[in-house]
Amino acid sequence: MRVAEIVCVFFPYKGGIGNVALDNAKILRKYNNDVVVFTPYHREINKKFDKKIQVKKLLPVLKYGNAAVLISLFWRLKNFDIVHLHFPFFGSVEIIWLMKKFKILKAKLIITYHMDATAGGWLGKIFKFHAKYLTPIILKSADKIIVSSFDYLKNSNIKNLFEKYPDKFIKIPFGVDLNRFRPREKPIELIKEYNIQKDEKIILFVGGLDKAHYFKGIDNLIKVFSKLQFFNCRLIIVGKGNMKLKYEQEVFDFGLTDKVIFADKVNNYDLCKFYNLADVFVLPSINKAEAFGVVLLEAMASGIPVIASNLAGVRSVVRNGVNGFLAESNNVDELVKKISLLLANNEKAKIMGVNGRKIAKSAYNKEKIDKMLIKVFEDIS
């Protein structure tokens, strides 16, 4: 098959949608498919990051944030068997829909619906308009729609579309590499680099620190950490983005500069070491822009307990009281309470970590998930 992956951001940009598109491209290539990725131009994207996967960086006519109008898609999508579109991608999903409507696009269309787009102010009003009037029409044109969980889908902007056309939808959760992310001893090199003391507990967060990832809840996490100082612990924030300086200022204002580590130069190879360094992983997302949380899988596979906001989709990964805890989103006091329970009880934390590894192996084994994805593409071609 010849497959076009269309996505608003791509490697090396650190973000869930781009990472999924990259992983999908690798899976398709593994099964001997020809893959071309189409994404807006960004100077950091290297066309030759993988010799087997072509990356076409297209110049947008208009661009705002991660939205981009890629007019050249009109003539670049010839001779493909399948177009795989990652939603949201405002400015270009409309182009694909027009091509499908007027039969310019001959290929089958698969859409992965990652999440509802959310924002405040005038942008939020545009998103709501799109969700009500345009998104359903665009998604209806797809031959298949992939979602990571039915829990999120049933609580999303497109729940009515799901109720009307259930056969269009298929659930394929994200998977985790169980060999790469696995329980290990705490890495000596990181202990030395960050001068971690013997009895210090490590709270870990991994995620984007740019404006597009405002929903990760870093502000709340810093407030939570400021209330945990009766524990001998430190907070490590792995990620980078244009909000980092703001978060560093917040840490300084709380007088926590010596207790919070910002690790913004972590490559994919070394990421697993940070999970092995951690005692607790926290994902304090504030709204439904967080639809799943692949980082939770990475932490679980690494054998550490997880704490996450009780949000649709996310709660399908975290089994409350089994592999970690769920906390009400935006509830700082509840997060403090749940983290404290694990920091104060090594045995409970250990049991939850073991349970998390078991769940990752049984439900999110990447090899099994990869085969599910390939089957969708093969069945539709």
Side-chain angles (χ1 to χ4, degrees):
M1 291 181 290
R2 194 156 191 257
V3 181
E5 290 274 332
I6 302 177
V7 64
C8 59
V9 292
F10 197 65
F11 180 86
Y13 176 88
K14 299 295 184 182
I17 294 179
N19 288 342
V20 171
L22 171 61
D23 189 56
N24 287 175
K26 288 181 176 179
I27 295 167
L28 289 162
R29 274 302 309 162
K30 179 181 176 182
Y31 285 84
N32 299 315
N33 297 290
D34 184 16
V35 184
V36 181
V37 177
F38 294 96
T39 193
Y41 175 84
H42 194 288
R43 64 179 181 275
E44 289 186 1
I45 296 175
N46 183 353
K47 286 184 178 181
K48 298 180 180 179
F49 80 99
D50 187 321
K51 294 180 180 179
K52 295 181 179 180
I53 300 173
Q54 296 183 61
V55 180
K56 300 290 185 181
K57 301 187 292 184
L58 307 183
L59 286 172
V61 175
L62 293 170
K63 193 174 190 306
Y64 182 84
N66 289 339
V69 180
L70 304 180
I71 293 294
S72 60
L73 289 174
F74 274 110
W75 58 86
R76 287 181 176 270
L77 296 180
K78 297 178 180 179
N79 303 318
F80 282 95
D81 300 299
I82 295 175
V83 168
H84 183 199
L85 173 64
H86 293 265
F87 186 100
F89 186 2
F90 299 112
S92 290
V93 294
E94 297 81 6
I95 290 173
I96 300 301
W97 171 72
L98 286 171
M99 292 176 68
K100 191 77 171 174
K101 178 177 176 61
F102 292 103
K103 299 182 180 180
I104 300 170
L105 182 67
K106 305 298 183 182
K108 297 287 187 178
L109 176 60
I110 297 174
I111 295 178
T112 291
Y113 189 88
H114 288 267
M115 63 183 187
D116 295 342
T118 62
W122 63 268
L123 189 59
K125 292 179 180 179
I126 291 175
F127 287 163
K128 287 180 181 178
F129 176 87
H130 198 287
K132 185 174 182 178
Y133 298 106
L134 300 180
T135 300
I137 299 172
I138 293 168
L139 295 183
K140 187 180 174 182
S141 70
D143 296 284
K144 213 69 179 177
I145 302 169
I146 298 173
V147 294
S148 58
S149 78
F150 285 135
D151 177 40
Y152 187 82
L153 179 58
K154 292 174 182 177
N155 291 276
S156 73
N157 292 336
I158 60 169
K159 60 184 178 182
N160 292 335
L161 190 69
F162 173 56
E163 292 170 358
K164 194 172 182 179
Y165 304 102
D167 292 342
K168 273 188 178 290
F169 292 83
I170 184 168
K171 183 187 82 169
I172 302 181
F174 301 115
V176 62
D177 187 334
L178 296 169
N179 292 319
R180 181 181 169 211
F181 297 97
R182 66 180 192 273
R184 303 180 181 89
E185 294 295 321
K186 289 182 179 287
I188 298 298
E189 63 270 35
L190 293 186
I191 291 174
K192 290 181 178 178
E193 180 178 354
Y194 296 114
N195 193 28
I196 306 296
Q197 301 304 304
K198 184 178 180 181
D199 296 326
E200 270 187 326
K201 297 290 184 70
I202 301 299
I203 301 166
L204 177 68
F205 168 88
V206 177
L209 304 185
D210 57 344
K211 288 184 179 179
H213 290 90
Y214 76 95
F215 58 87
K216 293 294 182 179
I218 306 298
D219 302 277
N220 285 342
L221 182 57
I222 294 169
K223 291 177 185 176
V224 166
F225 186 67
S226 72
K227 297 176 180 288
L228 292 169
Q229 293 314 294
F230 48 88
F231 288 104
N232 184 19
C233 62
R234 294 174 80 179
L235 170 64
I236 297 182
I237 297 174
V238 176
K240 60 182 180 180
N242 53 20
M243 298 287 283
K244 182 191 171 189
L245 289 177
K246 173 183 178 294
Y247 298 137
E248 286 179 327
Q249 182 62 50
E250 290 176 8
V251 168
F252 177 81
D253 291 342
F254 276 109
L256 298 171
T257 303
D258 294 335
K259 288 287 188 175
V260 179
I261 298 166
F262 285 89
D264 62 351
K265 296 180 180 179
V266 180
N267 58 41
N268 288 335
Y269 175 78
D270 288 332
L271 178 59
C272 57
K273 298 178 183 178
F274 282 84
Y275 288 106
N276 296 136
L277 182 64
D279 296 284
V280 181
F281 181 85
V282 184
L283 184 64
S285 308
I286 62 173
N287 61 37
K288 63 179 181 177
E290 187 71 75
F292 191 86
V294 174
V295 289
L296 293 171
L297 299 184
E298 294 171 350
M300 289 160 54
S302 302
I304 62 173
V306 295
I307 297 175
S309 299
N310 189 2
L311 296 167
V314 176
R315 64 191 177 208
S316 67
V317 180
V318 181
R319 301 180 188 177
N320 195 36
V322 178
N323 63 323
F325 291 118
L326 291 169
E328 182 183 354
S329 60
N330 279 307
N331 190 324
V332 169
D333 290 336
E334 188 175 1
L335 268 176
V336 170
K337 179 180 177 181
K338 296 294 173 66
I339 295 173
S340 297
L341 281 172
L342 293 179
L343 293 180
N345 193 325
N346 292 336
E347 189 60 30
K348 180 182 284 292
K350 183 178 179 180
I351 291 171
M352 286 185 167
V354 170
N355 289 341
R357 175 70 182 181
K358 289 178 180 177
I359 294 170
K361 289 176 71 174
S362 63
Y364 302 105
N365 185 330
K366 190 176 186 308
E367 292 183 5
K368 294 179 181 178
I369 302 298
D370 290 356
K371 290 177 182 178
M372 291 172 63
L373 182 73
I374 288 298
K375 188 175 188 305
V376 172
F377 279 77
E378 290 176 346
D379 288 349
I380 206 173
S381 63

